[in-house]
Amino acid sequence: MKKSKKILVTSLATATLGLISFADTTGDFPFSAQHVSAQEKDASKNGKVVKENTTSAPNQAEKPKTPAPKSAPKPEPKPAPKPEPKPAPKPAPKPAEKPKTPAQKPAEKPKNISPKEDKSKSTAQSGWVGSSYYENGAKVTNKWIFDKKANSYFYLNSSGNYVQNAWVDNYYLKSDGKMAKNEWIYDKNYGSYYYLTAEGSYARNTWVGNYYLKSNGKMAKGEWVYDKNYGSYYYLTAEGSYARDAWSGNYYLKSNGKMAKGEWIYDKNNGSYYYLTAEGSYARNAWSGNYYLKSNGKMAKSEWVYDKNYGSYYYLTSEGSYARSTWVGNYYLKSNGKMAKSEWVDGGRYYVGANGLWETKSSTNSEYSAALEKAKSYNSLFHMSKKRMYRQLTSQFDKFSNDAAQYAIDHLKADYKYNALFNAKNYRKLFNMSKSGLFNQLTSYIDGFTEEEANYAIQHLDD
């Protein structure tokens, strides 16, 4: 019986091997020759996956030697890393590096794609490929994007390439494609500098340092601008900065750059004061208060000027104001500053001729000298008042000219209060007059003393 059981088992084993041998012709068993052949075929289709991945995933080459129960019919070497929508390396290349053809590594990724993956899904990515940017596999066009890695905005045009050295609305894209911010740029197409603000748009109608950006954003150069915020005109030089402590034509720019108006300024380069009118240009051939501005705009000092508007000479002192009621050499400046001509001056004591020069009448005109001598005689004998002296000298008896008589009185040096007292004492002694009678007599037309002189005489009768 034991022998029969052994024969039965042996027969069953032989039958089983025959079935296996028959079934293996389909290649469904993992260790069949046909199965190994399929693995080699798939490996060639995958671009020699086993050979290429020996460094990054060394265990994959050993997997065919170990049975993998319930594995897919075709070997999957678990590519490392598994293809993701975003290309590796993930950091998008900075625009400044774009001429070096960035994003070449993502282009190599299709070599590691499993044969079973959908090829359309393998191109899905977000980042730079050359000068184009992709979002979820789609090329971005006509749109702004912000690249966190580059920390900048970029604009992709209709072709999907980033814009460079050009404007997009009020924003400027530099040569590396980055949007300019907080910096100056020079646009050779417009031949001008621009300043891009922290927000990115170009500055306008405002100052950046010493430079002014006009309403069109261009930096002002070699021109005037009016800043309504400061309520003043400024001149921007050829270099672009505002002029200061300098002239631009007939206009002066102060130390703060503002154009001077309605004020005095001192220009140390020319060593002179100037007056800038309300319109802004410097005054010339004109007065500003007591000061005169010459034809070159400089304030006159220590010199004569002739003002044709007033038809007179004036003398400007070392301080700059016009001289008045004083002598300058042999010329006399009256209280209004005009030079005296053909008239008595300085309290009637001196005479100046038609040319303005002082004339010594007593030495150049015998009439004046004679009138003075006659006045001295009358004063010592009759103690006349000033008015009576003048009438006497110009009377039909003496017949001096009015000018000669006035010259004599002005140079007599008489004490008319004493003369009034002298006459009052004589009147009281001869006529025994009262004080009121004396006062009336002294101030009468005949005597001609002033009330002050008459009162002095009465108060001192008993001296």
Side-chain angles (χ1 to χ4, degrees):
M1 180 138 178
K2 290 182 180 178
K3 187 176 182 180
S4 63
K5 287 182 181 179
K6 184 176 182 181
I7 294 170
L8 178 60
V9 170
T10 303
S11 301
L12 289 171
T14 303
T16 301
L17 287 172
L19 289 171
I20 290 173
S21 195
F22 174 77
D24 195 37
T25 57
T26 62
D28 292 335
F29 286 88
F31 296 104
S32 66
Q34 290 180 348
H35 186 73
V36 173
S37 174
Q39 286 180 330
E40 294 175 353
K41 185 177 182 180
D42 289 340
S44 62
K45 288 182 179 178
N46 286 321
K48 298 180 182 178
V49 174
V50 175
K51 291 182 180 180
E52 290 184 354
N53 293 329
T54 54
T55 56
S56 61
N59 291 335
Q60 292 179 10
E62 297 172 2
K63 284 189 179 180
K65 297 179 183 179
T66 304
K70 297 182 182 178
S71 61
K74 296 181 181 180
E76 293 184 351
K78 294 183 181 179
K82 193 174 182 179
E84 294 177 1
K86 293 184 180 179
K90 290 181 181 178
K94 293 184 179 180
E97 300 170 356
K98 287 179 183 176
K100 299 179 182 179
T101 62
Q104 292 181 359
K105 288 185 179 180
E108 298 172 358
K109 276 292 181 181
K111 295 180 181 180
N112 294 326
I113 295 174
S114 172
K116 281 192 172 183
E117 290 186 45
D118 186 353
K119 193 171 183 180
S120 63
K121 291 183 180 178
S122 68
T123 59
Q125 55 186 330
S126 293
W128 293 101
V129 177
S131 59
S132 299
Y133 192 83
Y134 289 81
E135 288 182 348
N136 298 323
K139 182 186 286 188
V140 177
T141 61
N142 295 322
K143 184 180 176 181
W144 286 95
I145 63 104
F146 183 78
D147 186 343
K148 291 189 297 183
K149 301 296 182 181
N151 192 30
S152 178
Y153 283 95
F154 295 81
Y155 187 78
L156 288 306
N157 60 23
S158 58
S159 299
N161 298 317
Y162 66 80
V163 174
Q164 55 196 125
N165 298 321
W167 293 93
V168 173
D169 296 325
N170 297 336
Y171 303 88
Y172 190 79
L173 290 310
K174 300 182 290 182
S175 59
D176 59 4
K178 290 183 178 180
M179 184 182 79
K181 291 171 68 176
N182 285 327
E183 60 187 299
W184 288 95
I185 63 98
Y186 182 77
D187 186 345
K188 62 182 180 181
N189 294 319
Y190 290 98
S192 178
Y193 283 94
Y194 295 80
Y195 186 79
L196 287 306
T197 65
E199 171 268 335
S201 61
Y202 65 81
R204 63 187 87 183
N205 298 322
T206 191
W207 293 93
V208 175
N210 298 335
Y211 303 87
Y212 190 79
L213 289 311
K214 299 182 289 182
S215 59
N216 59 3
K218 290 184 176 182
M219 185 184 80
K221 291 173 64 177
E223 58 188 299
W224 288 93
V225 301
Y226 181 79
D227 186 345
K228 61 182 180 181
N229 294 318
Y230 290 97
S232 178
Y233 283 95
Y234 295 80
Y235 185 76
L236 287 305
T237 64
E239 171 267 335
S241 61
Y242 65 83
R244 62 187 87 183
D245 297 321
W247 291 95
S248 180
N250 298 335
Y251 303 87
Y252 190 80
L253 290 310
K254 299 182 290 183
S255 59
N256 60 4
K258 291 184 176 182
M259 184 184 80
K261 290 173 66 177
E263 59 189 299
W264 287 93
I265 63 98
Y266 181 77
D267 184 352
K268 61 183 180 181
N269 294 319
N270 293 327
S272 178
Y273 284 94
Y274 295 80
Y275 185 77
L276 287 305
T277 65
E279 172 266 335
S281 61
Y282 65 81
R284 63 189 85 184
N285 299 321
W287 293 93
S288 180
N290 297 336
Y291 303 88
Y292 190 78
L293 290 311
K294 300 182 288 183
S295 60
N296 60 4
K298 290 184 177 182
M299 185 185 80
K301 292 172 68 176
S302 300
E303 59 188 300
W304 289 93
V305 301
Y306 181 77
D307 186 347
K308 61 182 180 181
N309 294 317
Y310 291 97
S312 177
Y313 283 96
Y314 295 82
Y315 186 79
L316 287 305
T317 66
S318 58
E319 172 267 335
S321 61
Y322 65 82
R324 63 187 85 183
S325 304
T326 189
W327 290 93
V328 175
N330 290 332
Y331 300 89
Y332 190 79
L333 288 309
K334 298 185 288 183
S335 60
N336 60 4
K338 290 184 175 182
M339 186 186 78
K341 294 169 66 176
S342 301
E343 57 187 303
W344 288 93
V345 298
D346 200 3
R349 292 177 296 173
Y350 304 95
Y351 187 84
V352 291
N355 59 359
L357 281 170
W358 168 50
E359 296 181 3
T360 55
K361 296 292 183 179
S362 58
S363 60
T364 58
N365 192 317
S366 58
E367 182 189 8
Y368 284 77
S369 178
L372 179 58
E373 291 303 316
K374 180 65 71 173
K376 288 178 180 179
S377 175
Y378 285 141
N379 185 61
S380 61
L381 292 173
F382 305 111
H383 303 284
M384 292 181 178
S385 67
K386 186 183 291 186
K387 287 183 178 179
R388 187 174 180 181
M389 182 77 71
Y390 183 85
R391 290 199 304 270
Q392 182 62 43
L393 293 173
T394 58
S395 66
Q396 292 297 318
F397 181 78
D398 289 322
K399 297 182 179 180
F400 287 107
S401 66
N402 294 340
D403 286 345
Q406 187 63 51
Y407 174 84
I409 291 169
D410 291 339
H411 293 81
L412 183 58
K413 299 180 182 180
D415 185 349
Y416 294 107
K417 287 183 178 180
Y418 172 80
N419 289 351
L421 179 59
F422 181 89
N423 282 279
K425 287 181 176 182
N426 281 339
Y427 285 139
R428 188 174 70 169
K429 181 179 180 180
L430 293 173
F431 303 108
N432 197 25
M433 288 184 177
S434 64
K435 289 183 178 181
S436 61
L438 287 173
F439 182 84
N440 291 333
Q441 181 60 42
L442 291 173
T443 58
S444 67
Y445 175 77
I446 295 174
D447 285 349
F449 288 101
T450 65
E451 291 183 1
E452 182 183 0
E453 292 164 350
N455 283 326
Y456 175 86
I458 292 169
Q459 291 170 5
H460 294 81
L461 279 172
D462 298 325
D463 290 354

